[in-house]
Amino acid sequence: MSVPGHHNVAMVTGAAGGLGGVIVRCLAAKGYRVLAADIAGDAIEAFTADAGDRVIPHQLDVTDKAAFAAALDRARAEWGGVGVLVNNAAITRTTPVFDIAPEEFDLVTGVALKGTFIGCQVVGAHMREHGYGRIVNIASLAGQNGGTSTGAHYAAAKGGILTLTKVFARELAASGVTVNAISPGPLNLDSVRSLLPPEKLAAVVGTIPAGTLGDPAYIAEMVTMLASPQATSAIGAAFDINGGLFMR
Ligand SMILES: NC(=O)c1ccc[n+]([C@@H]2O[C@H](COP(=O)([O-])OP(=O)(O)OC[C@H]3O[C@@H](n4cnc5c(N)ncnc54)[C@H](O)[C@@H]3O)[C@@H](O)[C@H]2O)c1
């Protein structure tokens, strides 16, 4: 296996968010240079201010293909290319299924599903050209079981990400590019704890066999495991990290 010099350059979307931030810091701590991309320009600037020179903030709307290509160009200019892509950006709405307007459906699926598609297409083509790459798509338990409070559009988008992961994995496998997904259950993040009132949150936690919300740091560790040059045989896999909430 030939590993290009930029194998340790990563691009993470949704980098200013709860999980994205943990992933960026974990990759940086393991020696990766990281283009930390998020639509929230101010938040990503603030977040990366103390993250050291290994991390560059970059404003990116993942639903914009030209903008994604420009983000790739920036990483190429700074560091020679991108070896790792983590498609992590997503939004949720708790709207009940019969109340979801088509515009809201497009918005939610646009960020998670179309954004992941564009990322795999744009950065996947670059990786194929170099004969090396690691793409990790952040899906969700909701994409497997339909979700509960996170919204039908969100669940459908996450299910779609699991399917796209297989499609791109098959397409890119012979080029030294792996594509895999991680499906977390509810994580111990502010965004989760604030989504539900305390008694409902306690009820959700009560259904998790492990008895706790998932640890974002463990998801980040799994990202770095799948991002490493040694991770050659995981192709189109989905890793269920949900405290035993869903087994298959
Ligand atoms: N939090 C959980 O319990 C949980 C569980 C399962 C899966 N996940 C998944 O983990 C990922 C991160 O979740 P989180 O809890 O950190 O969410 P979060 O809301 O904290 O972060 C999401 C980030 O995505 C950014 N974003 C939104 N639209 C964007 C766009 N168009 N382009 C670029 N960036 C955009 C936001 O600005 C935000 O910083 C998501 O894919 C989510 O579905 C989270």
Side-chain angles (χ1 to χ4, degrees):
M1 177 188 55
S2 116
V3 178
H6 58 256
H7 72 279
N8 61 350
V9 175
M11 187 188 292
V12 179
T13 71
L19 180 59
V22 177
I23 292 172
V24 168
R25 288 180 196 280
C26 186
L27 284 166
K30 289 184 192 288
Y32 286 81
R33 286 161 290 176
V34 187
L35 193 81
D38 201 290
I39 196 169
D42 290 351
I44 196 65
E45 290 279 351
F47 160 72
T48 53
D50 67 342
D53 56 7
R54 293 190 162 276
V55 180
I56 292 181
H58 185 91
Q59 184 167 22
L60 168 67
D61 178 353
V62 294
T63 67
D64 180 342
K65 187 172 180 181
F68 222 123
L72 171 62
D73 285 346
R74 179 155 185 211
R76 290 169 101 152
E78 296 279 352
W79 296 315
V82 171
V84 177
L85 170 67
V86 185
N87 285 307
N88 167 73
I91 55 174
T92 54
R93 295 286 184 273
T94 55
T95 316
V97 63
F98 281 103
D99 297 334
I100 295 174
E103 296 75 17
E104 186 179 294
F105 191 89
D106 285 348
L107 177 73
V108 172
T109 57
V111 177
L113 185 56
K114 189 167 76 175
T116 297
F117 170 70
I118 290 172
C120 289
Q121 223 185 27
V122 169
V123 183
H126 162 76
M127 291 170 166
R128 183 174 56 186
E129 195 183 310
H130 288 273
Y132 179 86
R134 302 282 180 264
I135 298 177
V136 182
N137 295 327
I138 304 299
S140 171
L141 170 63
Q144 299 170 299
N145 72 358
T148 48
S149 51
T150 46
H153 30 24
Y154 175 83
K158 292 296 180 175
I161 288 173
L162 292 171
T163 303
L164 279 183
T165 298
K166 295 177 194 172
V167 174
F168 279 104
R170 198 176 291 121
E171 197 70 29
L172 292 169
S175 309
V177 181
T178 70
V179 188
N180 293 289
I182 299 174
S183 291
L187 297 172
N188 189 10
L189 289 168
D190 290 346
S191 52
V192 175
R193 291 190 302 270
S194 61
L195 191 68
L196 296 171
E199 63 283 2
K200 279 205 172 166
L201 183 63
V204 170
V205 173
T207 64
I208 303 173
T212 56
L213 294 169
D215 182 359
Y218 180 62
I219 306 292
E221 286 292 337
M222 174 144 279
V223 168
T224 62
M225 191 193 81
L226 291 171
S228 79
Q230 289 74 33
T232 53
S233 297
I235 307 277
F239 294 85
D240 303 345
I241 312 293
N242 56 42
L245 199 49
F246 177 81
M247 304 181 197
R248 56 181 170 150

